[in-house]
């Protein structure tokens, strides 16, 4: 059975699958990233994981994988196949596509984790059928994926979609990026956790605890939550003014709060738009499998391009 390898590399764990052409997941596996062992060990761990997946496919499905798709965090030069920088993994200019290609002997597509997840959400998830969408996962930070006609726009230098670094509070909290007042300093799951821990005096309190307290009517939690909602709405309206998406997909840890997030967020965005067209605002559908599914889509896209170039003229 023809299949591809899909691999989503995170800061702490890796998710992988063997994916058939119709999107069926033939085999799934997870491993620790092992970043505590250093950047070179992480790369070797990825190569070993991919090789084991290849061997599994050959043994159980009668042939080796036709291609591989890999999603990684940080700054990615997808055209050159290089993981340019990933602070959590200690990477700088890792030629991951070439390394995997040599180990596996098959074509490899390399992509940015959020854009790869956005590709999956746009094609087979919450954005299915939308010609223009914006995928925004709210996790430790905030990133974004700009979907256009079935593909995700990377930008001229690979930085497109970095909505978390839109300045929503000029002169506000310093951000590791070097600016002050960035969106992710106010509306990420990490930012809400920090604010709620400070408000309660409990260092272990997090965004999920805050959301539960909001649902129970705690006025202190409502204040902290609304502060994040207002910042998020400001950032999203800036983004939709520039991009005019048909669908706005919100994922990540904060989206797990459900209506506690989406009801006030829709109201806040609606209250800020003037001439802009209000997009449909929906929760992401694929959860933490989005990156892996998107990696599989990248691999099949790569094969489709390769097959076309090899057709006789």
């Amino acid at each position: 059975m023809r299949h591809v390898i899909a691999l989503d590399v995170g800061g702490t764990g890796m998710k992988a699958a063997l994916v058939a052409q119709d999107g069926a997941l033939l085999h799934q596996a997870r491993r620790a990233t092992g970043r505590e062992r250093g950047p070179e060990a992480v790369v070797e761990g990825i190569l070993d994981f991919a090789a084991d997946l290849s061997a599994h496919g050959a043994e159980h499905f009668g042939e080796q994988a036709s291609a591989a798709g890999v999603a990684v965090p940080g700054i990615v030069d997808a055209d050159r196949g290089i993981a340019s920088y990933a602070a959590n993994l200690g990477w700088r200019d890792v030629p991951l596509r070439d390394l995997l290609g040599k180990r596996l002997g098959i074509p490899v597509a390399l992509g940015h984790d959020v854009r790869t997840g956005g590709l999956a959400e746009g094609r087979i998830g919450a954005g299915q059928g939308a010609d223009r969408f914006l995928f925004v996962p709210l996790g430790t930070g905030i990133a974004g994926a700009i979907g256009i006609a079935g593909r995700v726009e990377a930008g001229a230098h690979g930085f497109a979609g970095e909505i978390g670094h839109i300045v929503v509070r000029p002169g506000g909290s310093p951000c590791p990026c070097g600016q002050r007042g960035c969106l992710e300093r106010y509306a990420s799951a990490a930012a809400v956790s920090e604010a709620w821990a400070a408000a309660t005096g409990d260092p272990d309190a997090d965004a999920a605890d805050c959301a539960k307290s909001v649902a129970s009517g705690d006025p202190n939690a409502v204040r902290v939550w609304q502060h994040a909602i207002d910042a998020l709405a400001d950032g999203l309206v800036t983004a939709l003014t520039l991009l005019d998406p048909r669908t706005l997909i919100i994922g990540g840890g904060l989206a797990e709060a459900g209506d506690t997030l989406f009801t006030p967020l829709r109201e806040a965005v609606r209250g800020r738009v003037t001439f802009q067209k209000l997009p449909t605002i929906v929760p992401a559908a694929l959860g933490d499998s989005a990156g892996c599914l998107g990696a599989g889509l990248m691999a099949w896209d790569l094969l489709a391009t390769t097959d076309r170039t090899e057709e006789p003229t």
Side-chain angles (χ1 to χ4, degrees):
M1 179 180 292
R2 200 176 192 210
H3 61 277
V4 298
I5 294 170
L7 183 56
D8 179 20
V9 179
T12 58
M14 298 185 284
K15 296 179 285 290
L18 299 179
V19 187
Q21 197 157 8
D22 63 359
L25 299 178
L26 305 175
H27 170 70
Q28 297 182 71
R30 294 188 181 224
R31 286 187 186 177
T33 304
R35 63 179 180 178
E36 69 281 356
R37 295 183 290 120
E40 293 182 359
V42 170
V43 172
E44 194 58 36
I46 293 169
L47 298 178
D48 288 344
F49 196 10
D52 289 347
L53 291 162
S54 179
H56 182 94
E59 179 181 352
H60 291 85
F61 305 114
E63 62 179 280
Q64 290 188 333
S66 300
V70 184
V72 297
I75 300 170
V76 180
D77 186 336
D79 290 339
R80 297 169 59 212
I82 294 174
S84 302
Y85 176 72
N88 287 340
L89 300 178
W91 283 354
R92 281 192 182 275
D93 298 323
V94 178
L96 197 56
R97 184 179 65 193
D98 287 348
L99 292 172
L100 279 163
K102 289 176 182 177
R103 176 69 69 93
L104 301 174
I106 57 177
V108 176
L110 182 70
H112 180 272
D113 56 354
V114 172
R115 286 195 288 271
T116 302
L119 179 67
E121 285 288 352
R123 286 201 199 166
I124 59 177
Q128 192 170 6
D131 57 342
R132 300 287 190 279
F133 70 87
L134 178 62
F135 170 55
V136 181
L138 309 173
T140 304
I142 300 178
I146 303 165
I148 304 172
R151 64 179 183 84
V152 173
E153 174 59 44
H157 307 96
F159 291 97
E162 289 291 347
I163 184 175
H165 298 288
I166 289 176
V167 174
V168 294
R169 300 291 181 264
S173 298
C175 179
C177 79
Q179 301 183 118
R180 301 183 72 91
C182 288
L183 175 61
E184 70 174 39
R185 295 297 301 125
Y186 299 91
S188 63
V192 175
S193 293
E194 183 181 331
W196 185 233
T200 60
D202 179 2
D204 295 324
D206 61 13
D209 298 326
C210 185
K212 291 175 185 175
S213 296
V214 170
S216 66
D218 182 332
N220 205 24
V222 170
R223 175 186 60 79
V224 170
W225 195 255
Q226 192 60 49
H227 184 64
I229 292 289
D230 287 340
L232 181 57
D234 288 342
L236 292 176
V237 169
T238 297
L240 68 88
T241 302
L242 291 171
L243 301 173
D244 188 26
R246 196 173 307 278
T247 303
L248 182 55
I249 305 166
I250 307 296
L254 281 192
E256 295 175 6
D259 288 343
T260 300
L261 173 72
F262 284 92
T263 297
L265 179 61
R266 289 180 181 120
E267 291 175 357
V269 172
R270 186 180 300 111
R272 284 164 169 76
V273 299
T274 53
F275 67 90
Q276 305 95 332
K277 293 294 183 182
L278 189 66
T280 302
I281 302 176
V282 298
L286 302 177
D288 71 352
S289 65
C292 192
L293 291 168
L297 291 172
M298 284 196 308
W300 283 115
D301 285 353
L302 179 61
L303 277 177
T305 302
T306 303
D307 290 346
R308 283 196 301 269
T309 59
E310 291 179 354
E311 288 177 358
T313 56

